Amino acid sequence: MNRKTLIICIVALVVLAGLAVAGISALYRDDSGKNTDTGVAISDYSLLPAVPSDAAMLLCTSTLSESVALLTDTTKVFGAFLTDSGKRGFSDFISSVSKDLPETLKGEQTVISLHYSGELTPLMLVMAPADTTGDVLKLLALADSSSLASAYLGSEALSSLPGSKDKLSKGGLILVSSSQTLITASHRHMEGDMSVLDKTGFPQIAAKMGGRSAVMLSNDYAGKLFTSHVSRAYSQYSTFFKNLSDWAGFTIAGVSPETASLKGALSASSDPTYFANVLSSIPAGESRFADIMPSSTVFAVSVPTPSVTDYLDAYKNFLDAHAKLDKYRRDNASLRDTLSITPEQFVIRLDTKEVVKATVRIDNSTEGVVALRMGKADPAILLKGTGLSSMKEYKGEVLPFLYSDFISTEFGGLFTPSQGMQYFAVNGQWLITGSYRAVSLVADPDRTLSSELSDAGLSSKLPSRNTGPVCFFSISEYPPLVDEVFRPSLSVPMRQTLTGVTHEVFLMSLSGAEASMTVDRATVIKSKGPVIDRDTVVVVPTGPFKVHNSGTGRTNLFSQSANNTLTLKEEDGKGIWGIPFSSPICGAVETIDYYGNDRNQFLFAAGSKLYLIDRLGRFVNGFPAELGKDVLLGPAVYDFTGAHGYTALVLHKDNTIGMYNLHGQMREGWMGITADETIKTLPELLEIKGTRYWVVRTSIRTLVFPFMGGEALTKGEGSKMIRNDSEIIPKENGTISATCVDGKERSFKLQQAAAK
């Protein structure tokens, strides 16, 4: 897969989906130099005078080869944008061109634009220098074979058109489209000296692209683009884009094997009706949401407000320009009548420094939270109606939230609370609001997003100081979101981008004097193999489990029915016995010789206990043995003494591993094993030159621990973490060899835990 292609495709999708709505809302560019910008735009992109003025989206590349590569990339993401709904003609044409690129045209500047006339329809423009007649005819023939309309305007014809004379570079122009009307419109626009350059804001955005390959989007047509490619639930964001700015544009700033950066800009002039100008007057601040949000965060938008009063002044100007200021004032007055404080007073008295909307994964679903970072935690506001009078009395409880509509009133619809009863908790400087279980997770996360990004080597990508709005989006954290946001034409190729990666996240922020936007897609690549499972679900096998019957010498199947009855059967399914039991077993059954008399028993766990049953279905005296806390998975049994002195290892529900004898007593000297992330399986015994270790697979990596537990001996950071499906190969020199997240094989010296 072409990484450069993939980056620009995916970022365009994220922006269109509305997932970065606040993350790009402060970009601003003055349009006072319109005439100069038009000249710069034509100089950089000489085909623009031939693009009709109703363009909804443009892909401008320096070569035909690059345009074709973008449209035929294996992800098929960009191609989905630039083909007619339900039609194959343009797609077939591009495919044909990719297989037989005309030699004299492949290096020529190309523009592909989308236009709306009942449906989004593409128009391709290719510059044709002199003496390329053969390849021009070849390209026109490929268009004809795909049932497309096409035309060629030679240099003489172009020089006679006011809109192209002295603007298009010397040579001819090839036009291809599924609509003859579009080709005619292009010719008519050049006759009337009209083009997309006459659209408000376009010359400014084109001039900002600097002649590099770029995607430019007209926010006037956001609704049409959304309808074609985004699910109904997310189409609501199209209205935001229409109020955001005139145009948005993106260019590729840098690409490496693991990350890529794009520069983006909006053209919003100084029109107060554009939300892009709300935040432009606010100084940069700090963004700290990653320190409070859990590692299971799927999406977050952070808006730093170092001066909340400056922000409110700009926001009210925006509302006034849309004739909504009176409604804003009525809403404030209405809420004041209910709670004796207005939303505006609420955010000012808390000295709001940052507002965050986040979506977090909880088990196999997602929930939203809204959080404020406060400069002052005012107990008179926060603890109203709780019976508490000071923050010293507050002990971190999750309590009902009285001010559910206050934050969205001051910061916009993106910060609208989730439906249902609202709760809150305070954690340090943070006020966290949402459903009870979402607030409980965010107020006390097992692992924060900043820790997750640090381990993946991505923490430096997320700005924290001197920044404007920041947007974070992790596709890999919750892949089903792709299907929720996009229509099938895009959700299928979007899912393809997850193949072979452990993290796929987008980080967007505002920075610099010109308030340009940097977008980073940071991906930690794996070598060939399954994608690391990063969820918190531990698979507990349900059987049947193979056991050895010492009475018959045969292998039997030990299983549990839906009503918890325990059964023993022959391998052919013939029943041997069945006995009632009260609870589910924990995914493992071990055959042991407890008495050392060559008569086997079967050991398993249920609840917080170990059970032992003999081959005739009788529970052994002295069992069950209480372990003290619930077992999730296990046991795994070892006889390290060789004299039937068995040791059992289990994974508890609190994400710890315990080592016990069969009386339920923890082994003397055992220091325990745990991990920040979810432990997914029982430990595997590793032995190197007479020394034993435990190999533990978690949701994101493999760790190696000393035999008696304690601290992990292998803690590679970021791409140097050992893959959670890597083979652990012991070496003669006492080291191990393993495959890391970046696909490279490294050696680890266990005593010093140093990767090399």
Side-chain angles (χ1 to χ4, degrees):
M1 176 185 309
N2 181 310
R3 183 172 308 281
K4 181 178 178 181
T5 298
L6 178 61
I7 302 307
I8 195 169
C9 293
I10 301 304
V11 171
L13 290 177
V14 173
V15 173
L16 281 175
L19 296 174
V21 288
I24 61 175
S25 57
L27 294 175
Y28 168 77
R29 179 172 173 83
D30 190 353
D31 68 345
S32 58
K34 180 178 178 181
N35 293 332
T36 301
D37 288 331
T38 299
V40 172
I42 294 173
S43 175
D44 290 340
Y45 305 101
S46 59
L47 291 173
L48 293 179
V51 178
S53 59
D54 62 348
M57 177 178 176
L58 292 87
L59 168 63
C60 301
T61 62
S62 57
T63 68
L64 174 61
S65 296
E66 187 171 3
S67 283
V68 171
L70 282 167
L71 298 181
T72 57
D73 184 76
T74 54
T75 65
K76 302 186 185 305
V77 172
F78 220 101
F81 275 103
L82 297 172
T83 54
D84 295 289
S85 303
K87 298 180 181 179
R88 293 288 309 170
F90 198 80
S91 176
D92 289 342
F93 166 68
I94 296 296
S95 178
S96 298
V97 174
S98 69
K99 296 173 184 176
D100 190 12
L101 268 172
E103 187 65 30
T104 60
L105 298 177
K106 65 181 183 181
E108 293 303 315
Q109 193 174 123
T110 302
V111 171
I112 301 176
S113 55
L114 274 180
H115 303 260
Y116 187 79
S117 179
E119 62 182 8
L120 291 168
T121 305
L123 169 67
M124 173 185 269
L125 304 173
V126 182
M127 185 59 66
D131 301 324
T132 58
T133 304
D135 281 341
V136 168
L137 293 175
K138 179 179 180 180
L139 197 63
L140 296 178
L142 290 174
D144 185 62
S145 65
S146 299
S147 301
L148 298 180
S150 62
Y152 171 70
L153 297 175
S155 58
E156 290 186 8
L158 288 175
S159 64
S160 67
L161 300 174
S164 60
K165 183 179 181 180
D166 300 324
K167 294 180 180 179
L168 290 172
S169 59
K170 294 181 180 181
L173 175 66
I174 302 170
L175 305 91
V176 178
S177 177
S178 55
S179 168
Q180 178 62 51
T181 301
L182 261 182
I183 292 177
T184 303
S186 175
H187 190 275
R188 187 175 64 250
H189 273 66
M190 285 186 284
E191 284 182 327
D193 197 9
M194 298 181 297
S195 72
V196 69
L197 290 162
D198 294 302
K199 296 293 290 186
T200 301
F202 182 80
Q204 290 74 44
I205 203 65
K208 284 290 289 181
M209 299 299 99
R212 295 177 292 272
S213 295
V215 179
M216 288 172 268
L217 309 167
S218 170
N219 290 325
D220 283 343
Y221 288 92
K224 307 302 183 185
L225 292 169
F226 272 63
T227 301
S228 298
H229 301 292
V230 178
S231 67
R232 184 183 300 274
Y234 283 82
S235 293
Q236 59 180 306
Y237 290 114
S238 64
T239 301
F240 175 88
F241 272 86
K242 292 179 73 172
N243 292 330
L244 178 62
S245 67
D246 300 312
W247 287 82
F250 303 92
T251 64
I252 298 173
V255 180
S256 71
E258 293 184 351
T259 188
S261 298
L262 281 81
K263 288 290 184 179
L266 300 184
S267 170
S269 68
S270 57
D271 190 336
T273 63
Y274 287 127
F275 193 75
N277 295 315
V278 172
L279 300 177
S280 62
S281 60
I282 300 175
E286 291 184 297
S287 177
R288 302 180 188 172
F289 73 92
D291 295 333
I292 188 70
M293 291 299 159
S295 59
S296 59
T297 301
V298 179
F299 166 68
V301 167
S302 159
V303 180
T305 54
S307 171
V308 69
T309 54
D310 286 350
Y311 165 81
L312 290 172
D313 288 343
Y315 185 50
K316 284 185 279 188
N317 287 338
F318 170 78
L319 293 174
D320 191 25
H322 285 271
K324 294 182 179 180
L325 184 58
D326 287 344
K327 181 181 183 303
Y328 166 84
R329 289 169 174 162
R330 289 195 302 271
D331 290 343
N332 264 264
S334 174
L335 292 168
R336 179 192 58 206
D337 293 342
T338 303
L339 292 165
S340 302
I341 187 174
T342 68
E344 184 173 350
Q345 292 168 337
F346 176 85
V347 298
I348 291 175
R349 284 180 57 180
L350 294 179
D351 190 19
T352 302
K353 298 298 184 184
E354 182 179 1
V355 59
V356 178
K357 171 63 180 290
T359 299
V360 297
R361 177 181 52 77
I362 304 179
D363 297 326
N364 293 317
S365 62
T366 60
E367 290 198 25
V369 294
V370 176
L372 289 182
R373 180 164 58 85
M374 304 173 290
K376 179 183 178 182
D378 188 334
I381 296 176
L382 298 174
L383 302 180
K384 184 183 178 76
T386 66
L388 304 175
S389 58
S390 72
M391 297 309 296
K392 290 183 178 180
E393 297 179 41
Y394 176 74
K395 304 301 181 183
E397 306 95 322
V398 177
L399 302 170
F401 187 54
L402 303 179
Y403 310 97
S404 60
D405 294 319
F406 276 47
I407 299 174
S408 60
T409 298
E410 300 306 312
F411 291 96
L414 179 66
F415 300 93
T416 300
S418 303
Q419 293 182 349
M421 180 69 178
Q422 293 295 295
Y423 293 84
F424 83 96
V426 176
N427 184 348
Q429 294 180 294
W430 287 94
L431 167 66
I432 304 149
T433 72
S435 72
Y436 185 89
R437 71 171 188 162
V439 171
S440 299
L441 171 66
V442 176
D444 186 23
D446 293 331
R447 179 176 172 80
T448 63
L449 178 60
S450 60
S451 296
E452 179 79 4
L453 293 176
S454 176
D455 284 349
L458 303 175
S459 56
S460 63
K461 299 292 185 181
L462 191 63
S464 58
R465 296 179 181 273
N466 197 33
T467 184
V470 175
C471 179
F472 168 89
F473 176 43
S474 174
I475 294 179
S476 54
E477 184 61 43
Y478 189 65
L481 186 63
V482 173
D483 296 319
E484 294 176 15
V485 174
F486 300 110
R487 294 186 182 275
S489 61
L490 292 181
S491 64
V492 173
M494 278 287 282
R495 277 185 169 275
Q496 292 180 18
T497 68
L498 293 172
T499 302
V501 301
T502 57
H503 295 76
E504 181 164 295
V505 301
F506 296 87
L507 305 171
M508 309 185 191
S509 63
L510 305 180
S511 62
E514 293 186 341
S516 62
M517 181 180 67
T518 298
V519 182
D520 292 290
R521 175 185 182 265
T523 306
V524 182
I525 301 296
K526 282 179 48 176
S527 58
K528 292 182 179 179
V531 176
I532 288 179
D533 178 6
R534 300 181 61 251
D535 63 33
T536 58
V537 177
V538 177
V539 177
V540 178
T542 57
F545 306 95
K546 291 185 177 182
V547 295
H548 181 257
N549 189 326
S550 58
T552 64
R554 293 193 294 268
T555 296
N556 291 159
L557 301 178
F558 189 104
S559 60
Q560 187 173 36
S561 63
N563 65 0
N564 293 326
T565 297
L566 303 177
T567 63
L568 189 70
K569 297 179 181 180
E570 298 284 3
E571 286 191 288
D572 63 4
K574 181 180 179 181
I576 299 175
W577 51 255
I579 60 170
F581 195 66
S582 59
S583 56
I585 64 177
C586 299
V589 180
E590 293 272 27
T591 302
I592 66 172
D593 182 3
Y594 184 62
Y595 295 108
N597 59 3
D598 296 326
R599 296 182 179 179
N600 292 344
Q601 300 84 30
F602 312 130
L603 183 73
F604 60 92
S608 61
K609 300 175 182 179
L610 291 176
Y611 292 81
L612 191 63
I613 192 170
D614 68 17
R615 63 185 179 84
L616 300 178
R618 300 173 300 193
F619 285 101
V620 174
N621 289 336
F623 289 85
E626 175 64 54
L627 301 182
K629 54 184 178 180
D630 284 345
V631 175
L632 177 60
L633 183 63
V637 175
Y638 299 87
D639 182 10
F640 295 118
T641 67
H644 311 288
Y646 294 104
T647 295
L649 272 79
V650 299
L651 173 59
H652 289 289
K653 288 186 176 180
D654 63 359
N655 203 45
T656 62
I657 291 170
M659 179 188 283
Y660 303 90
N661 63 25
L662 296 197
H663 299 295
Q665 299 166 334
M666 189 169 290
R667 178 161 172 164
E668 185 177 354
W670 176 248
M671 292 182 286
I673 288 176
T674 189
D676 291 336
E677 61 273 12
T678 302
I679 297 174
K680 300 283 285 185
T681 62
L682 290 168
E684 305 159 27
L685 183 64
L686 173 68
E687 193 162 345
I688 304 176
K689 300 180 70 173
T691 301
R692 298 185 180 120
Y693 305 90
W694 295 111
V695 177
V696 176
R697 314 283 183 173
T698 78
S699 56
I700 64 172
R701 57 183 166 178
T702 294
L703 299 169
V704 179
F705 289 85
F707 179 71
M708 294 305 293
E711 292 294 320
L713 300 175
T714 55
K715 291 185 177 180
E717 297 294 323
S719 61
K720 289 187 177 181
M721 293 189 300
I722 300 175
R723 280 174 40 179
N724 69 353
D725 59 354
S726 172
E727 181 182 3
I728 305 298
I729 304 173
K731 300 292 186 179
E732 290 295 328
N733 61 1
T735 65
I736 61 169
S737 176
T739 303
C740 294
V741 168
D742 59 6
K744 296 179 180 178
E745 187 171 307
R746 291 184 172 89
S747 294
F748 293 82
K749 189 175 182 180
L750 295 181
Q751 294 301 320
Q752 298 179 10
K756 61 181 183 180

